[in-house]
Amino acid sequence: MSKQTQPTRSEPELSTAADWNALYIDGKWHGPGDRGTLDVTDPSTREVWTEVPAGTEDDVDEAYAAAKRAQESWAEKGPDRRAELVQTVLALLDEYEADLLELLVTESGSSQIKSDLELDTARGIVGEAASFPTRMSGDIRESVMEGKEHLVKREPAGVVAVIPPWNFPFHLSVRAVAPAVATGNGVVIKPATDTPVTSGLAIARLFELAGAPPGLVNVVPGKGSEIGDRVAGHPDVDVVAFTGSTEVGRHVAKQAVDTLAFPALELGGNGPNVVLEDADLDNALSAGAFGTFAHQGQVCISINRHLVHEDIYDEYVAGMVEKAEMIPAGSVHEASSIVGPIINEGQRDQILDYVEDTVEQGATLETGGDTVPVDGVDDSLVVEPTVLSDVDNDMTAACNEHFGPVAPIVPVSSDEEAIELANATEYGLAASVFSGDRNRAEDIADAIDAGMVHINDQPINDEPHVPFGGMKASGLGRYNGEYILEEMTETKWISVQREQRNYPM
Ligand code: NAP
Ligand code: MG
């Protein structure tokens, strides 16, 4: 490497006290050398707890070269060896559970409940991916030509770029890395800058501990605005697995398409939660509160707005206020906190601005709308669970993905109106419908243009074998099960002419 310094360590460990100030390329940890560094902040305390190197475009090139080299021999390995590596990573998730949970709490402001949920979801997809090596099956087809036979085979795509966000940093990175490796690909991760350890470096360390060949998984921390184009548009990339905002995703997709890589895109959402007058109200409120306030609303599949039938509107608003005011909010280093800090100041200010704008537009602030003080922190990032009533679907907090602990509640007078408002967004990721009448709910679910619709449950659901992804501006492709297996592989047709053909020349 042009700017290489001595590898900083060979003994990997996974705690917050470990030295994370390194890039991981070709099986070696490289300190920052003469590169700049990026501070990594604990959003609860707002203290810098580590720093990481700001990788360069040269580093990205080195990472791709390593991934390409490693991939060629990795793809030759039998399915048993590839499954074994992924199974070993799965076992390490248990062995290092306490460290990984501490990293998630510290780096991403995740409550204990959310950290547990995230690690469990990650376990699920790693376990699923361990079955991929023996599921890369093909097909034999008859030919319309006499004496010919067709073989349809699956091959690894090659090198997969993984560009994750900061909200479920570990799971959303691993859900691409594990399937990629299992199906015989090399990987280059450009982690999210707010969470470079949990969305990248810690994953590299797990694969290192598991005995992955050098170069198979590489991590180059660095700002998307500086090295992102090189990552997404690299001549050696075959699949760009991006999870993040629609705005950045559109740009990333252009880089990928320009180099003719496949863009696997999981983008933003604006989840509608439809609550009909025949719903079980207690259930709808508990679920609705969880779907809104879990991880401070920083979930792509959160409920972004509640579309509630006018007959139960007042009761629903009162119930949601009661829930919001009950939820313990504060530093996630307190085990009791359920709502923790917003990831950074910019995101927090945007949420508070959205609430303020919505009130100016005529909505009623029922509760919340401010920050929660945290001991020893000057300017807390914890936002109060907030409920807004008398909201129109086109008010700021309803029509934008607010990504905060905010419940804008919009009254609706019919199923048709609920459907129309649910679909009045460029997004189509997740949605939910509450009703006592399954057929009625299913009709609405069918009519909502979203990749995932949940009946009588809130939308924060992700299972390793069920297709996860969005319609409209929420993305391209699907994660999990055979859906991601297909995206990480190429289909190849081989024909065999068994008997000589008669050609006219
Ligand atoms: P983001 O700002 O779009 O960033 C996502 C990733 O893209 C980060 O790693 C970022 O790096 C990187 N990036 C930025 N500019 C880039 C460029 N020019 N080229 C390549 N990469 C670039 O999203 P976020 O703020 O992290 O996450 C929140 C968004 O993600 C929300 O919209 C949410 O709905 C969406 N999301 C979707 C899903 C899903 O499954 N559909 C899941 C979770 C989140 P830096 O950190 O260095 O900027
Ligand atoms: Mg962002």
Side-chain angles (χ1 to χ4, degrees), residues 163-167 172 175 190-194 222-225 228-229 232 242-246 248 251-252 266-269 300 347 401 403 429 468 474:
I163 307 178
W166 46 260
N167 63 335
L172 297 180
R175 75 171 173 180
K190 198 239 46 95
T193 297
D194 285 304
K223 288 198 171 158
S225 53
D229 284 1
F242 173 88
T243 302
S245 63
T246 293
V248 175
H251 174 80
V252 164
E266 290 293 335
L267 309 179
C300 56
Q347 288 287 126
E401 181 184 42
F403 234 53
L429 192 59
F468 185 107
S474 290

Side-chain angles (χ1 to χ4, degrees), residues 246 250 268-272 304-305 307 393-394 398-401 418-431 448-450 471-474:
T246 293
R250 277 202 173 98
N270 180 349
N304 199 75
R305 45 200 172 110
L307 307 176
N393 198 54
D394 52 7
C399 68
N400 290 287
E401 181 184 42
I419 293 165
E420 191 191 318
L421 295 187
N423 286 335
T425 167
E426 68 165 331
Y427 298 113
L429 192 59
I448 294 178
D449 301 323
M471 294 180 178
K472 292 159 73 181
S474 290

Side-chain angles (χ1 to χ4, degrees), residues 90 92-102 104 112-126 168 170-171 174 206:
L90 181 60
L92 291 172
L93 295 184
D94 288 337
E95 193 175 322
Y96 287 93
E97 175 172 359
D99 285 336
L100 291 167
L101 293 175
E102 189 199 1
L104 282 168
Q112 318 271 338
I113 296 174
K114 185 270 189 179
S115 303
D116 277 335
L117 175 77
E118 177 164 358
L119 203 55
D120 272 350
T121 316
R123 270 193 197 97
I125 187 60
V126 175
F168 278 69
F170 187 74
H171 167 56
V174 156
L206 287 165

Side-chain angles (χ1 to χ4, degrees), residues 265-283:
L265 304 174
E266 290 293 335
L267 309 179
N270 180 349
N273 176 43
V274 176
V275 186
L276 302 177
E277 78 289 351
D278 62 1
D280 174 334
L281 199 59
D282 285 346
N283 179 48

Side-chain angles (χ1 to χ4, degrees), residues 87 123 147 285 325:
Q87 274 155 0
R123 270 193 197 97
L285 282 166
E325 291 178 347

Side-chain angles (χ1 to χ4, degrees), residues 324-343:
E325 291 178 347
M326 256 171 46
I327 299 171
S331 160
V332 288
H333 296 289
E334 301 292 334
S336 58
S337 292
I338 292 184
V339 161
I342 299 303
I343 190 72

